PDB file of all heavy atoms in Angstrom:
ATOM      1  N   TYR A  74     -21.335 -22.287 -22.444  1.00 81.00           N
ATOM      2  CA  TYR A  74     -20.548 -22.380 -21.225  1.00 81.00           C
ATOM      3  C   TYR A  74     -20.558 -21.076 -20.466  1.00 81.00           C
ATOM      4  O   TYR A  74     -20.506 -21.039 -19.218  1.00 81.00           O
ATOM      5  CB  TYR A  74     -19.085 -22.743 -21.562  1.00 81.00           C
ATOM      6  CG  TYR A  74     -18.875 -24.107 -22.150  1.00 81.00           C
ATOM      7  CD1 TYR A  74     -17.711 -24.404 -22.819  1.00 81.00           C
ATOM      8  CD2 TYR A  74     -19.835 -25.109 -22.030  1.00 81.00           C
ATOM      9  CE1 TYR A  74     -17.471 -25.647 -23.371  1.00 81.00           C
ATOM     10  CE2 TYR A  74     -19.642 -26.369 -22.581  1.00 81.00           C
ATOM     11  CZ  TYR A  74     -18.446 -26.636 -23.248  1.00 81.00           C
ATOM     12  OH  TYR A  74     -18.235 -27.862 -23.799  1.00 81.00           O
ATOM     13  N   VAL A  75     -20.568 -19.985 -21.196  1.00 78.00           N
ATOM     14  CA  VAL A  75     -20.498 -18.657 -20.601  1.00 78.00           C
ATOM     15  C   VAL A  75     -21.849 -18.083 -20.218  1.00 78.00           C
ATOM     16  O   VAL A  75     -22.011 -17.434 -19.207  1.00 78.00           O
ATOM     17  CB  VAL A  75     -19.728 -17.689 -21.534  1.00 78.00           C
ATOM     18  CG1 VAL A  75     -19.634 -16.292 -20.935  1.00 78.00           C
ATOM     19  CG2 VAL A  75     -18.321 -18.225 -21.826  1.00 78.00           C
ATOM     20  N   THR A  76     -22.854 -18.345 -21.058  1.00 71.00           N
ATOM     21  CA  THR A  76     -24.131 -17.679 -20.899  1.00 71.00           C
ATOM     22  C   THR A  76     -25.190 -18.516 -20.211  1.00 71.00           C
ATOM     23  O   THR A  76     -26.133 -17.966 -19.667  1.00 71.00           O
ATOM     24  CB  THR A  76     -24.684 -17.231 -22.274  1.00 71.00           C
ATOM     25  OG1 THR A  76     -24.872 -18.387 -23.093  1.00 71.00           O
ATOM     26  CG2 THR A  76     -23.734 -16.251 -22.919  1.00 71.00           C
ATOM     27  N   ARG A  77     -25.052 -19.844 -20.226  1.00 64.00           N
ATOM     28  CA  ARG A  77     -26.152 -20.684 -19.701  1.00 64.00           C
ATOM     29  C   ARG A  77     -25.705 -21.631 -18.618  1.00 64.00           C
ATOM     30  O   ARG A  77     -26.420 -22.581 -18.289  1.00 64.00           O
ATOM     31  CB  ARG A  77     -26.798 -21.440 -20.857  1.00 64.00           C
ATOM     32  CG  ARG A  77     -27.491 -20.576 -21.833  1.00 64.00           C
ATOM     33  CD  ARG A  77     -28.264 -21.389 -22.882  1.00 64.00           C
ATOM     34  NE  ARG A  77     -28.940 -20.536 -23.828  1.00 64.00           N
ATOM     35  CZ  ARG A  77     -30.148 -20.025 -23.642  1.00 64.00           C
ATOM     36  NH1 ARG A  77     -30.812 -20.294 -22.539  1.00 64.00           N
ATOM     37  NH2 ARG A  77     -30.707 -19.248 -24.547  1.00 64.00           N
ATOM     38  N   GLN A  78     -24.554 -21.404 -18.063  1.00 54.00           N
ATOM     39  CA  GLN A  78     -24.090 -22.305 -16.995  1.00 54.00           C
ATOM     40  C   GLN A  78     -24.038 -21.545 -15.673  1.00 54.00           C
ATOM     41  O   GLN A  78     -23.810 -20.354 -15.632  1.00 54.00           O
ATOM     42  CB  GLN A  78     -22.680 -22.869 -17.307  1.00 54.00           C
ATOM     43  CG  GLN A  78     -22.646 -23.757 -18.564  1.00 54.00           C
ATOM     44  CD  GLN A  78     -23.298 -25.086 -18.364  1.00 54.00           C
ATOM     45  OE1 GLN A  78     -23.528 -25.509 -17.217  1.00 54.00           O
ATOM     46  NE2 GLN A  78     -23.562 -25.777 -19.441  1.00 54.00           N
ATOM     47  N   ALA A  79     -24.259 -22.273 -14.582  1.00 49.00           N
ATOM     48  CA  ALA A  79     -24.091 -21.706 -13.247  1.00 49.00           C
ATOM     49  C   ALA A  79     -23.275 -22.711 -12.476  1.00 49.00           C
ATOM     50  O   ALA A  79     -23.782 -23.573 -11.770  1.00 49.00           O
ATOM     51  CB  ALA A  79     -25.414 -21.452 -12.576  1.00 49.00           C
ATOM     52  N   SER A  80     -21.956 -22.655 -12.606  1.00 55.00           N
ATOM     53  CA  SER A  80     -21.108 -23.697 -12.112  1.00 55.00           C
ATOM     54  C   SER A  80     -19.774 -23.167 -11.715  1.00 55.00           C
ATOM     55  O   SER A  80     -19.246 -22.212 -12.318  1.00 55.00           O
ATOM     56  CB  SER A  80     -20.922 -24.814 -13.151  1.00 55.00           C
ATOM     57  OG  SER A  80     -19.939 -25.740 -12.775  1.00 55.00           O
ATOM     58  N   ARG A  81     -19.170 -23.777 -10.713  1.00 57.00           N
ATOM     59  CA  ARG A  81     -17.764 -23.449 -10.348  1.00 57.00           C
ATOM     60  C   ARG A  81     -16.788 -23.988 -11.408  1.00 57.00           C
ATOM     61  O   ARG A  81     -15.648 -23.568 -11.430  1.00 57.00           O
ATOM     62  CB  ARG A  81     -17.430 -24.029  -8.979  1.00 57.00           C
ATOM     63  CG  ARG A  81     -18.085 -23.310  -7.851  1.00 57.00           C
ATOM     64  CD  ARG A  81     -17.650 -23.864  -6.501  1.00 57.00           C
ATOM     65  NE  ARG A  81     -18.265 -23.177  -5.414  1.00 57.00           N
ATOM     66  CZ  ARG A  81     -17.828 -22.092  -4.865  1.00 57.00           C
ATOM     67  NH1 ARG A  81     -16.699 -21.546  -5.297  1.00 57.00           N
ATOM     68  NH2 ARG A  81     -18.464 -21.500  -3.883  1.00 57.00           N
ATOM     69  N   TYR A  82     -17.218 -24.952 -12.208  1.00 65.00           N
ATOM     70  CA  TYR A  82     -16.303 -25.659 -13.077  1.00 65.00           C
ATOM     71  C   TYR A  82     -16.420 -25.292 -14.536  1.00 65.00           C
ATOM     72  O   TYR A  82     -15.562 -25.657 -15.311  1.00 65.00           O
ATOM     73  CB  TYR A  82     -16.488 -27.150 -12.894  1.00 65.00           C
ATOM     74  CG  TYR A  82     -16.041 -27.711 -11.548  1.00 65.00           C
ATOM     75  CD1 TYR A  82     -16.293 -29.001 -11.204  1.00 65.00           C
ATOM     76  CD2 TYR A  82     -15.339 -26.905 -10.646  1.00 65.00           C
ATOM     77  CE1 TYR A  82     -15.901 -29.526  -9.993  1.00 65.00           C
ATOM     78  CE2 TYR A  82     -14.957 -27.407  -9.408  1.00 65.00           C
ATOM     79  CZ  TYR A  82     -15.237 -28.723  -9.101  1.00 65.00           C
ATOM     80  OH  TYR A  82     -14.825 -29.252  -7.867  1.00 65.00           O
TER      81      TYR A  82
END
Side-chain angles (χ1 to χ4, degrees):
Y74 294 161
V75 178
T76 60
R77 295 185 179 275
Q78 297 287 344
S80 170
R81 287 183 180 273
Y82 290 172

